[in-house]
Amino acid sequence: MTIPPGIADIHSAAARLSGLIVETPLIESPELNKRFGARILFKPETLQRTGSFKFRGAYNKLSSLSAEERARGIVAFSSGNHAQGVAAAAAMFGVKAIIAMPADAPAMKVGNVRKMGAEVITFDRVRDDRTAVVRSYVEKGMVLVPPYDDPAIIAGQGTIGLELMRQAKALGVSLDAVVVPCGGGGLSSGISIAVKDASPDTAVWAVEPEHFDDTRRSLIQGARVSNAPGHTSICDALLVAEPGAITFEINRKNLAGAIAVSDRAVAQAMRDAMACLKLVVEPGGCVGLAALSSGEIDLTGKCVAVVLSGGNVDFSTYAEIIAAS
Amino acid sequence: MTIPPGIADIHSAAARLSGLIVETPLIESPELNKRFGARILFKPETLQRTGSFKFRGAYNKLSSLSAEERARGIVAFSSGNHAQGVAAAAAMFGVKAIIAMPADAPAMKVGNVRKMGAEVITFDRVRDDRTAVVRSYVEKGMVLVPPYDDPAIIAGQGTIGLELMRQAKALGVSLDAVVVPCGGGGLSSGISIAVKDASPDTAVWAVEPEHFDDTRRSLIQGARVSNAPGHTSICDALLVAEPGAITFEINRKNLAGAIAVSDRAVAQAMRDAMACLKLVVEPGGCVGLAALSSGEIDLTGKCVAVVLSGGNVDFSTYAEIIAAS
């Protein structure tokens, strides 16, 4: 596997994942199409194994390890979706897994990781250095499965782009744009490789929470910059300090740009996803739909794919957001 | 078209609906499979056009009318899902539609019907005779589109059974049972025709809300009986007085039986659908999942399909049920 990964690595990942992942369908809403004056095709990775896209990259990474490496066990840090993807993949390979999760991660995510047999250790999202938390395990020989800045992880997430382009073609449409949630950039970079390979003219947009728009500002600067501390967002899945090195190298070549959306816009998008698509989408998974109302993407008369990247949200959080309509 | 409709009528309906409906996927949850000791395949008609299966029957019915009949306009009575299906089909045919809806129908359902251009008149679910409400329009020449007791409606809903059997076959599984929500019996009777044609040994179960188990008691009696007045249920989509004449004639031949589920079991099933499937399912749409916990269906080691028939639920109602976990 090359660094950065290429389209061949994504095809290899798709072959490994075949039969193990859900090929999530494209779905659309006449009401949302009318509202945006566009044809919007949603790719609900909410319906993916573990409730988010993360299983794709995690399983591909574990596949790429040697039997000797797998026998040493794996360790990962994650706010929850990567944790679930890694735990599910580890269970399938019969590999011991230790997952470091922030103490304020949604209870549903922590509970699901434990149900799949992984050991959970917690850290403070603000105070602790998340890489330091897992260092002692790596020093003991366990293999780190990073959340995004890894060629096997990026290639696994890129399989969504392959499916998307094939499904759009089967519908007889060509995509003007693809809109993707962005934390560390693994999902957007992986998808961008597959989309640009099939259709160089399709614009790929990354979407981030307000105050966590490190990729947006890094693209403008032409170099990686970090987020200022002291902010919060309901998008727990997308709260990273700065773009990954490998992911940013890909994203700076492939992305049309990045868009920041407010928590308020995300909450409205979650209600729209419930009312118009009947899909439970977590805050971070819904930023792409929120970005359609930003005015930054040319929509009129276009055909646009939006990745809904996850649906792991606690009952109480979801009820509160839905009831606020 | 014969009365009752047969498998040929369902194949004709499928041909008319091709390209206009969503072929809803089969989805499953490792967690629910583990809990029930079975492979459970969910058919989410929540993702269907108008958010429920009802568009299938309504469009098939409008297709079966002559141009002269369509020119006179159509009228229907419905708690909401049939109303939306009829309004969407009428809009596609450019036909005037008047829909009588109970005054306590979910606001989302009423709003959606109006958005699609139909005229809504309201009636009292308990006090008014719903057929009398629409009689004056029928006397003026408008064509009644009944909610279930009509061969074209039944054949349209039956297309779900065709898809289900084809999709199960593609997965390489044979279905031991198919579990279907039941109000007047249009969905269960239509699906039962298609399932029994493809696989006579597959058991088809209807599921009703407690106190509205007219089909269950009618099957036991061997003749149609009515529900006692004075009860309520959160399953607004399934509240009818008695089984349809045509639907019951089919159901008494084809069903393994019917199961009644409590509002409490339905609410738990809605939370399970959110947590494990990431799907928004309305109360009446979720009775099939609720029935899996009843102990009445032999599950161990079996493969069972469950139809999730609709997802049209108000924000406030859904938030209240989800937060009650």
Side-chain angles (χ1 to χ4, degrees):
Chain A
M1 175 161 281
T2 58
I3 296 180
I7 188 69
D9 299 306
I10 298 180
H11 282 293
S12 301
R16 287 191 199 105
L17 291 169
S18 175
L20 298 174
I21 51 168
V22 178
E23 179 166 319
T24 51
L26 293 186
I27 66 172
E28 61 187 311
S29 152
E31 184 174 345
L32 292 177
N33 285 348
K34 196 171 163 188
R35 185 191 305 173
F36 293 117
R39 185 167 186 188
I40 314 291
L41 300 169
F42 293 94
K43 177 88 170 154
E45 284 290 301
T46 54
L47 306 181
Q48 190 51 262
R49 193 186 276 263
T50 75
S52 91
F53 70 97
K54 288 282 193 178
F55 175 76
R56 296 176 185 258
Y59 186 91
N60 191 48
K61 176 67 178 176
L62 264 67
S63 297
S64 75
L65 299 180
S66 67
E68 183 275 324
E69 284 173 312
R70 285 199 287 263
R72 278 151 45 198
I74 58 165
V75 59
F77 49 88
S78 160
S79 68
N81 283 334
H82 177 57
Q84 290 178 77
V86 170
M92 290 166 80
F93 279 105
V95 163
K96 177 182 166 66
I98 292 176
I99 317 274
M101 300 182 73
D104 63 348
M108 179 178 285
K109 293 180 177 177
V110 179
N112 287 344
V113 170
R114 290 208 169 103
K115 272 185 217 162
M116 289 184 280
E119 182 181 333
V120 174
I121 56 175
T122 56
F123 66 88
D124 185 291
R125 193 194 287 272
V126 177
R127 207 186 53 223
D128 295 341
D129 172 3
R130 55 190 74 190
T131 53
V133 173
V134 300
R135 194 172 301 137
S136 66
Y137 298 96
V138 173
E139 284 167 358
K140 281 181 216 153
M142 295 183 87
V143 177
L144 180 68
V145 179
Y148 45 84
D149 213 21
D150 179 285
I153 298 286
I154 294 168
Q157 325 304 28
T159 58
I160 294 170
L162 291 184
E163 289 177 19
L164 198 51
M165 299 312 283
R166 188 171 60 232
Q167 291 169 316
K169 197 175 170 187
L171 286 176
V173 298
S174 83
L175 295 174
D176 296 295
V178 177
V179 185
V180 188
C182 181
L187 182 62
S188 54
S189 62
I191 288 177
S192 76
I193 294 168
V195 169
K196 289 292 182 182
D197 176 72
S199 172
D201 291 340
T202 301
V204 180
W205 291 88
V207 187
E208 301 172 294
E210 213 171 58
H211 307 304
F212 294 86
D213 58 340
D214 47 293
T215 290
R216 190 185 71 80
R217 290 179 299 105
S218 297
L219 289 172
I220 292 168
Q221 290 270 334
R224 289 193 293 156
V225 296
S226 299
N227 294 311
H231 291 288
T232 60
S233 162
I234 59 172
C235 301
D236 62 273
L238 303 179
L239 309 185
V240 302
E242 59 174 13
I246 308 171
T247 57
F248 183 66
E249 185 181 339
I250 300 165
N251 280 337
R252 68 188 297 181
K253 281 189 206 129
N254 288 351
L255 297 194
I259 298 162
V261 293
S262 68
D263 278 2
R264 187 191 169 91
V266 171
Q268 182 56 49
M270 289 171 70
R271 290 189 288 270
D272 287 337
M274 177 186 152
C276 301
L277 301 169
K278 315 302 175 192
L279 293 176
V280 177
V281 187
E282 66 179 280
C286 218
V287 294
L289 173 50
L292 298 187
S293 301
S294 70
E296 298 200 40
I297 304 172
D298 182 19
L299 292 176
T300 309
K302 307 288 189 193
C303 185
V304 176
V306 175
V307 177
L308 303 171
S309 53
N312 294 310
V313 52
D314 284 346
F315 290 128
S316 56
T317 305
Y318 193 65
E320 196 179 309
I321 290 170
I322 290 305
S325 60
Chain B
M1 174 159 284
T2 57
I3 296 180
I7 188 70
D9 299 307
I10 298 179
H11 282 294
S12 301
R16 287 191 200 104
L17 291 169
S18 176
L20 298 174
I21 50 168
V22 178
E23 179 167 320
T24 51
L26 294 186
I27 65 171
E28 61 187 311
S29 151
E31 184 174 344
L32 292 177
N33 285 348
K34 197 170 162 188
R35 185 190 305 173
F36 294 116
R39 186 167 185 188
I40 314 291
L41 300 169
F42 293 95
K43 177 86 171 156
E45 284 291 300
T46 53
L47 306 180
Q48 190 51 263
R49 192 186 277 262
T50 75
S52 90
F53 71 98
K54 288 283 194 178
F55 175 77
R56 295 175 185 258
Y59 186 90
N60 192 48
K61 176 68 178 175
L62 264 68
S63 298
S64 74
L65 299 180
S66 67
E68 183 275 325
E69 284 173 313
R70 285 200 287 263
R72 277 150 44 196
I74 58 166
V75 59
F77 49 90
S78 161
S79 68
N81 282 334
H82 177 57
Q84 290 178 76
V86 170
M92 288 165 80
F93 278 105
V95 163
K96 176 181 166 69
I98 292 176
I99 317 274
M101 299 181 74
D104 63 348
M108 181 178 284
K109 292 180 178 179
V110 179
N112 286 345
V113 170
R114 290 207 169 102
K115 270 185 217 163
M116 289 183 281
E119 183 182 331
V120 174
I121 56 174
T122 56
F123 65 89
D124 186 292
R125 194 194 286 274
V126 177
R127 206 185 54 224
D128 296 340
D129 172 4
R130 56 190 74 189
T131 55
V133 173
V134 301
R135 194 172 301 138
S136 67
Y137 298 97
V138 173
E139 283 166 0
K140 279 180 217 153
M142 296 182 86
V143 177
L144 180 68
V145 179
Y148 46 84
D149 213 20
D150 179 285
I153 298 286
I154 294 167
Q157 324 305 29
T159 58
I160 294 169
L162 291 184
E163 288 177 18
L164 196 52
M165 299 312 283
R166 189 170 58 232
Q167 292 169 316
K169 197 173 170 188
L171 287 175
V173 298
S174 82
L175 295 174
D176 296 295
V178 176
V179 185
V180 188
C182 181
L187 182 62
S188 53
S189 61
I191 288 177
S192 76
I193 295 168
V195 170
K196 288 293 181 182
D197 176 72
S199 172
D201 292 339
T202 301
V204 181
W205 291 88
V207 187
E208 301 173 293
E210 213 171 56
H211 308 304
F212 294 86
D213 57 343
D214 46 294
T215 290
R216 189 183 71 80
R217 291 179 298 104
S218 298
L219 289 172
I220 292 168
Q221 290 270 334
R224 290 193 293 156
V225 296
S226 299
N227 293 312
H231 291 287
T232 60
S233 162
I234 59 171
C235 301
D236 62 273
L238 303 179
L239 310 185
V240 302
E242 57 173 15
I246 307 171
T247 56
F248 184 65
E249 185 182 341
I250 300 165
N251 280 336
R252 68 189 299 181
K253 281 190 207 128
N254 288 352
L255 297 195
I259 297 162
V261 292
S262 68
D263 278 2
R264 187 191 169 92
V266 171
Q268 182 56 48
M270 289 171 69
R271 290 189 288 271
D272 287 337
M274 176 186 152
C276 300
L277 301 168
K278 315 303 175 192
L279 293 176
V280 176
V281 187
E282 66 180 279
C286 218
V287 294
L289 174 50
L292 298 187
S293 301
S294 70
E296 299 199 40
I297 305 172
D298 182 18
L299 293 174
T300 309
K302 307 289 190 193
C303 186
V304 176
V306 174
V307 178
L308 302 171
S309 53
N312 294 311
V313 52
D314 284 346
F315 291 127
S316 56
T317 306
Y318 193 66
E320 197 178 310
I321 290 169
I322 290 305
S325 60

mmCIF file of all heavy atoms in Angstrom, chain B residues 239-271:
data_model
loop_
_atom_site.group_PDB
_atom_site.id
_atom_site.type_symbol
_atom_site.label_atom_id
_atom_site.label_comp_id
_atom_site.label_asym_id
_atom_site.label_seq_id
_atom_site.Cartn_x
_atom_site.Cartn_y
_atom_site.Cartn_z
ATOM 1 N N LEU B 239 -56.107 1.649 13.509
ATOM 2 C CA LEU B 239 -57.345 1.653 14.284
ATOM 3 C C LEU B 239 -58.573 1.536 13.385
ATOM 4 O O LEU B 239 -59.153 2.535 12.974
ATOM 5 C CB LEU B 239 -57.417 2.926 15.140
ATOM 6 C CG LEU B 239 -56.158 3.224 15.980
ATOM 7 C CD1 LEU B 239 -56.372 4.431 16.866
ATOM 8 C CD2 LEU B 239 -55.755 2.007 16.800
ATOM 9 N N VAL B 240 -58.981 0.325 13.095
ATOM 10 C CA VAL B 240 -60.196 0.113 12.306
ATOM 11 C C VAL B 240 -61.214 -0.623 13.169
ATOM 12 O O VAL B 240 -60.886 -1.163 14.227
ATOM 13 C CB VAL B 240 -59.918 -0.698 11.017
ATOM 14 C CG1 VAL B 240 -58.882 -0.004 10.150
ATOM 15 C CG2 VAL B 240 -59.486 -2.113 11.350
ATOM 16 N N ALA B 241 -62.479 -0.642 12.695
ATOM 17 C CA ALA B 241 -63.546 -1.277 13.470
ATOM 18 C C ALA B 241 -63.581 -2.783 13.274
ATOM 19 O O ALA B 241 -63.842 -3.543 14.215
ATOM 20 C CB ALA B 241 -64.896 -0.663 13.084
ATOM 21 N N GLU B 242 -63.317 -3.238 12.055
ATOM 22 C CA GLU B 242 -63.386 -4.677 11.766
ATOM 23 C C GLU B 242 -62.591 -4.972 10.505
ATOM 24 O O GLU B 242 -62.272 -4.059 9.738
ATOM 25 C CB GLU B 242 -64.842 -5.111 11.581
ATOM 26 C CG GLU B 242 -65.544 -4.328 10.482
ATOM 27 C CD GLU B 242 -66.945 -4.865 10.167
ATOM 28 O OE1 GLU B 242 -67.476 -5.642 10.971
ATOM 29 O OE2 GLU B 242 -67.479 -4.491 9.099
ATOM 30 N N PRO B 243 -62.258 -6.237 10.241
ATOM 31 C CA PRO B 243 -61.502 -6.577 9.030
ATOM 32 C C PRO B 243 -62.323 -6.258 7.779
ATOM 33 O O PRO B 243 -63.557 -6.252 7.823
ATOM 34 C CB PRO B 243 -61.295 -8.103 9.144
ATOM 35 C CG PRO B 243 -61.545 -8.443 10.576
ATOM 36 C CD PRO B 243 -62.542 -7.433 11.058
ATOM 37 N N GLY B 244 -61.659 -6.012 6.670
ATOM 38 C CA GLY B 244 -62.361 -5.879 5.404
ATOM 39 C C GLY B 244 -62.927 -7.216 4.964
ATOM 40 O O GLY B 244 -62.464 -8.274 5.407
ATOM 41 N N ALA B 245 -63.936 -7.169 4.092
ATOM 42 C CA ALA B 245 -64.555 -8.423 3.628
ATOM 43 C C ALA B 245 -63.602 -9.189 2.711
ATOM 44 O O ALA B 245 -63.384 -10.396 2.892
ATOM 45 C CB ALA B 245 -65.864 -8.114 2.896
ATOM 46 N N ILE B 246 -63.021 -8.474 1.742
ATOM 47 C CA ILE B 246 -62.112 -9.147 0.803
ATOM 48 C C ILE B 246 -60.814 -9.531 1.510
ATOM 49 O O ILE B 246 -60.296 -10.635 1.347
ATOM 50 C CB ILE B 246 -61.796 -8.226 -0.404
ATOM 51 C CG1 ILE B 246 -63.086 -7.717 -1.054
ATOM 52 C CG2 ILE B 246 -60.938 -8.963 -1.426
ATOM 53 C CD1 ILE B 246 -62.855 -6.631 -2.103
ATOM 54 N N THR B 247 -60.285 -8.595 2.299
ATOM 55 C CA THR B 247 -59.010 -8.873 2.971
ATOM 56 C C THR B 247 -59.148 -10.066 3.926
ATOM 57 O O THR B 247 -58.254 -10.906 4.009
ATOM 58 C CB THR B 247 -58.496 -7.639 3.751
ATOM 59 O OG1 THR B 247 -59.489 -7.218 4.680
ATOM 60 C CG2 THR B 247 -58.169 -6.491 2.813
ATOM 61 N N PHE B 248 -60.287 -10.155 4.613
ATOM 62 C CA PHE B 248 -60.445 -11.271 5.555
ATOM 63 C C PHE B 248 -60.583 -12.604 4.827
ATOM 64 O O PHE B 248 -60.063 -13.633 5.285
ATOM 65 C CB PHE B 248 -61.642 -11.053 6.492
ATOM 66 C CG PHE B 248 -61.762 -12.133 7.528
ATOM 67 C CD1 PHE B 248 -60.781 -12.295 8.500
ATOM 68 C CD2 PHE B 248 -62.833 -13.027 7.517
ATOM 69 C CE1 PHE B 248 -60.866 -13.313 9.444
ATOM 70 C CE2 PHE B 248 -62.919 -14.048 8.459
ATOM 71 C CZ PHE B 248 -61.935 -14.189 9.425
ATOM 72 N N GLU B 249 -61.259 -12.582 3.678
ATOM 73 C CA GLU B 249 -61.399 -13.808 2.878
ATOM 74 C C GLU B 249 -60.007 -14.356 2.517
ATOM 75 O O GLU B 249 -59.782 -15.569 2.534
ATOM 76 C CB GLU B 249 -62.200 -13.466 1.610
ATOM 77 C CG GLU B 249 -62.530 -14.655 0.739
ATOM 78 C CD GLU B 249 -63.293 -14.249 -0.534
ATOM 79 O OE1 GLU B 249 -63.867 -13.132 -0.575
ATOM 80 O OE2 GLU B 249 -63.289 -15.050 -1.485
ATOM 81 N N ILE B 250 -59.080 -13.438 2.201
ATOM 82 C CA ILE B 250 -57.708 -13.863 1.880
ATOM 83 C C ILE B 250 -56.958 -14.280 3.147
ATOM 84 O O ILE B 250 -56.325 -15.333 3.201
ATOM 85 C CB ILE B 250 -56.945 -12.713 1.175
ATOM 86 C CG1 ILE B 250 -57.655 -12.319 -0.123
ATOM 87 C CG2 ILE B 250 -55.485 -13.108 0.912
ATOM 88 C CD1 ILE B 250 -57.204 -10.980 -0.696
ATOM 89 N N ASN B 251 -57.056 -13.441 4.168
ATOM 90 C CA ASN B 251 -56.283 -13.692 5.389
ATOM 91 C C ASN B 251 -56.672 -15.006 6.076
ATOM 92 O O ASN B 251 -55.814 -15.699 6.629
ATOM 93 C CB ASN B 251 -56.438 -12.515 6.359
ATOM 94 C CG ASN B 251 -55.528 -11.354 5.982
ATOM 95 O OD1 ASN B 251 -54.511 -11.550 5.315
ATOM 96 N ND2 ASN B 251 -55.892 -10.150 6.387
ATOM 97 N N ARG B 252 -57.961 -15.352 6.056
ATOM 98 C CA ARG B 252 -58.372 -16.591 6.734
ATOM 99 C C ARG B 252 -57.767 -17.818 6.057
ATOM 100 O O ARG B 252 -57.563 -18.841 6.696
ATOM 101 C CB ARG B 252 -59.894 -16.694 6.844
ATOM 102 C CG ARG B 252 -60.585 -16.890 5.517
ATOM 103 C CD ARG B 252 -62.096 -16.775 5.657
ATOM 104 N NE ARG B 252 -62.623 -17.797 6.552
ATOM 105 C CZ ARG B 252 -63.912 -17.940 6.832
ATOM 106 N NH1 ARG B 252 -64.807 -17.090 6.307
ATOM 107 N NH2 ARG B 252 -64.330 -18.891 7.627
ATOM 108 N N LYS B 253 -57.491 -17.704 4.769
ATOM 109 C CA LYS B 253 -56.845 -18.827 4.055
ATOM 110 C C LYS B 253 -55.338 -18.834 4.267
ATOM 111 O O LYS B 253 -54.728 -19.890 4.354
ATOM 112 C CB LYS B 253 -57.095 -18.689 2.542
ATOM 113 C CG LYS B 253 -58.473 -19.136 2.101
ATOM 114 C CD LYS B 253 -58.546 -19.209 0.573
ATOM 115 C CE LYS B 253 -59.970 -19.001 0.107
ATOM 116 N NZ LYS B 253 -60.110 -17.967 -0.904
ATOM 117 N N ASN B 254 -54.735 -17.644 4.301
ATOM 118 C CA ASN B 254 -53.266 -17.567 4.193
ATOM 119 C C ASN B 254 -52.505 -17.374 5.494
ATOM 120 O O ASN B 254 -51.317 -17.695 5.568
ATOM 121 C CB ASN B 254 -52.876 -16.417 3.253
ATOM 122 C CG ASN B 254 -53.186 -16.735 1.798
ATOM 123 O OD1 ASN B 254 -53.548 -17.874 1.469
ATOM 124 N ND2 ASN B 254 -53.062 -15.753 0.927
ATOM 125 N N LEU B 255 -53.143 -16.784 6.512
ATOM 126 C CA LEU B 255 -52.363 -16.414 7.702
ATOM 127 C C LEU B 255 -52.165 -17.580 8.659
ATOM 128 O O LEU B 255 -53.065 -18.414 8.839
ATOM 129 C CB LEU B 255 -53.043 -15.267 8.462
ATOM 130 C CG LEU B 255 -53.196 -13.927 7.756
ATOM 131 C CD1 LEU B 255 -53.541 -12.838 8.778
ATOM 132 C CD2 LEU B 255 -51.957 -13.528 6.978
ATOM 133 N N ALA B 256 -50.984 -17.583 9.296
ATOM 134 C CA ALA B 256 -50.725 -18.531 10.388
ATOM 135 C C ALA B 256 -51.491 -18.104 11.633
ATOM 136 O O ALA B 256 -51.838 -18.925 12.478
ATOM 137 C CB ALA B 256 -49.233 -18.578 10.687
ATOM 138 N N GLY B 257 -51.770 -16.818 11.738
ATOM 139 C CA GLY B 257 -52.481 -16.291 12.888
ATOM 140 C C GLY B 257 -52.231 -14.799 13.014
ATOM 141 O O GLY B 257 -51.543 -14.204 12.175
ATOM 142 N N ALA B 258 -52.829 -14.196 14.040
ATOM 143 C CA ALA B 258 -52.603 -12.782 14.309
ATOM 144 C C ALA B 258 -52.226 -12.627 15.776
ATOM 145 O O ALA B 258 -52.609 -13.447 16.614
ATOM 146 C CB ALA B 258 -53.828 -11.960 13.971
ATOM 147 N N ILE B 259 -51.458 -11.578 16.065
ATOM 148 C CA ILE B 259 -50.896 -11.359 17.402
ATOM 149 C C ILE B 259 -51.244 -9.932 17.826
ATOM 150 O O ILE B 259 -51.129 -9.004 17.014
ATOM 151 C CB ILE B 259 -49.358 -11.534 17.363
ATOM 152 C CG1 ILE B 259 -48.997 -12.976 16.962
ATOM 153 C CG2 ILE B 259 -48.711 -11.156 18.694
ATOM 154 C CD1 ILE B 259 -47.566 -13.141 16.484
ATOM 155 N N ALA B 260 -51.675 -9.759 19.070
ATOM 156 C CA ALA B 260 -51.960 -8.415 19.585
ATOM 157 C C ALA B 260 -50.804 -7.952 20.460
ATOM 158 O O ALA B 260 -50.295 -8.728 21.279
ATOM 159 C CB ALA B 260 -53.255 -8.422 20.384
ATOM 160 N N VAL B 261 -50.378 -6.694 20.290
ATOM 161 C CA VAL B 261 -49.262 -6.162 21.080
ATOM 162 C C VAL B 261 -49.691 -4.883 21.813
ATOM 163 O O VAL B 261 -50.506 -4.108 21.318
ATOM 164 C CB VAL B 261 -48.021 -5.863 20.199
ATOM 165 C CG1 VAL B 261 -47.418 -7.155 19.658
ATOM 166 C CG2 VAL B 261 -48.354 -4.918 19.053
ATOM 167 N N SER B 262 -49.133 -4.689 23.000
ATOM 168 C CA SER B 262 -49.481 -3.528 23.830
ATOM 169 C C SER B 262 -48.756 -2.270 23.357
ATOM 170 O O SER B 262 -47.704 -2.351 22.711
ATOM 171 C CB SER B 262 -49.101 -3.798 25.284
ATOM 172 O OG SER B 262 -47.684 -3.858 25.397
ATOM 173 N N ASP B 263 -49.283 -1.104 23.716
ATOM 174 C CA ASP B 263 -48.610 0.162 23.419
ATOM 175 C C ASP B 263 -47.206 0.190 24.013
ATOM 176 O O ASP B 263 -46.266 0.736 23.425
ATOM 177 C CB ASP B 263 -49.416 1.341 23.989
ATOM 178 C CG ASP B 263 -50.570 1.751 23.078
ATOM 179 O OD1 ASP B 263 -50.775 1.106 22.020
ATOM 180 O OD2 ASP B 263 -51.270 2.729 23.420
ATOM 181 N N ARG B 264 -47.077 -0.410 25.194
ATOM 182 C CA ARG B 264 -45.779 -0.453 25.871
ATOM 183 C C ARG B 264 -44.754 -1.242 25.047
ATOM 184 O O ARG B 264 -43.591 -0.813 24.899
ATOM 185 C CB ARG B 264 -45.991 -1.124 27.233
ATOM 186 C CG ARG B 264 -44.817 -1.108 28.147
ATOM 187 C CD ARG B 264 -45.122 -2.046 29.339
ATOM 188 N NE ARG B 264 -43.929 -2.264 30.112
ATOM 189 C CZ ARG B 264 -43.582 -1.523 31.162
ATOM 190 N NH1 ARG B 264 -44.349 -0.545 31.564
ATOM 191 N NH2 ARG B 264 -42.457 -1.768 31.807
ATOM 192 N N ALA B 265 -45.189 -2.374 24.491
ATOM 193 C CA ALA B 265 -44.291 -3.182 23.651
ATOM 194 C C ALA B 265 -43.954 -2.444 22.357
ATOM 195 O O ALA B 265 -42.829 -2.533 21.852
ATOM 196 C CB ALA B 265 -44.936 -4.529 23.347
ATOM 197 N N VAL B 266 -44.919 -1.708 21.826
ATOM 198 C CA VAL B 266 -44.690 -0.943 20.594
ATOM 199 C C VAL B 266 -43.668 0.173 20.847
ATOM 200 O O VAL B 266 -42.758 0.394 20.040
ATOM 201 C CB VAL B 266 -46.011 -0.356 20.059
ATOM 202 C CG1 VAL B 266 -45.754 0.617 18.912
ATOM 203 C CG2 VAL B 266 -46.948 -1.486 19.597
ATOM 204 N N ALA B 267 -43.794 0.859 21.976
ATOM 205 C CA ALA B 267 -42.852 1.931 22.305
ATOM 206 C C ALA B 267 -41.431 1.378 22.431
ATOM 207 O O ALA B 267 -40.464 1.980 21.947
ATOM 208 C CB ALA B 267 -43.283 2.634 23.595
ATOM 209 N N GLN B 268 -41.308 0.211 23.073
ATOM 210 C CA GLN B 268 -39.981 -0.410 23.201
ATOM 211 C C GLN B 268 -39.438 -0.776 21.821
ATOM 212 O O GLN B 268 -38.244 -0.587 21.538
ATOM 213 C CB GLN B 268 -40.057 -1.650 24.099
ATOM 214 C CG GLN B 268 -38.708 -2.331 24.325
ATOM 215 C CD GLN B 268 -37.654 -1.385 24.895
ATOM 216 O OE1 GLN B 268 -37.903 -0.659 25.844
ATOM 217 N NE2 GLN B 268 -36.463 -1.350 24.278
ATOM 218 N N ALA B 269 -40.291 -1.270 20.951
ATOM 219 C CA ALA B 269 -39.861 -1.629 19.592
ATOM 220 C C ALA B 269 -39.398 -0.385 18.823
ATOM 221 O O ALA B 269 -38.434 -0.439 18.054
ATOM 222 C CB ALA B 269 -40.998 -2.323 18.850
ATOM 223 N N MET B 270 -40.068 0.741 19.042
ATOM 224 C CA MET B 270 -39.649 1.988 18.378
ATOM 225 C C MET B 270 -38.256 2.402 18.838
ATOM 226 O O MET B 270 -37.433 2.877 18.046
ATOM 227 C CB MET B 270 -40.672 3.102 18.636
ATOM 228 C CG MET B 270 -41.990 2.887 17.901
ATOM 229 S SD MET B 270 -43.284 4.062 18.417
ATOM 230 C CE MET B 270 -42.640 5.603 17.729
ATOM 231 N N ARG B 271 -37.985 2.220 20.140
ATOM 232 C CA ARG B 271 -36.640 2.534 20.642
ATOM 233 C C ARG B 271 -35.606 1.554 20.085
ATOM 234 O O ARG B 271 -34.492 1.942 19.719
ATOM 235 C CB ARG B 271 -36.637 2.528 22.178
ATOM 236 C CG ARG B 271 -37.414 3.701 22.774
ATOM 237 C CD ARG B 271 -37.223 3.802 24.285
ATOM 238 N NE ARG B 271 -37.911 2.758 25.009
ATOM 239 C CZ ARG B 271 -39.157 2.814 25.460
ATOM 240 N NH1 ARG B 271 -39.895 3.902 25.247
ATOM 241 N NH2 ARG B 271 -39.685 1.813 26.120
#
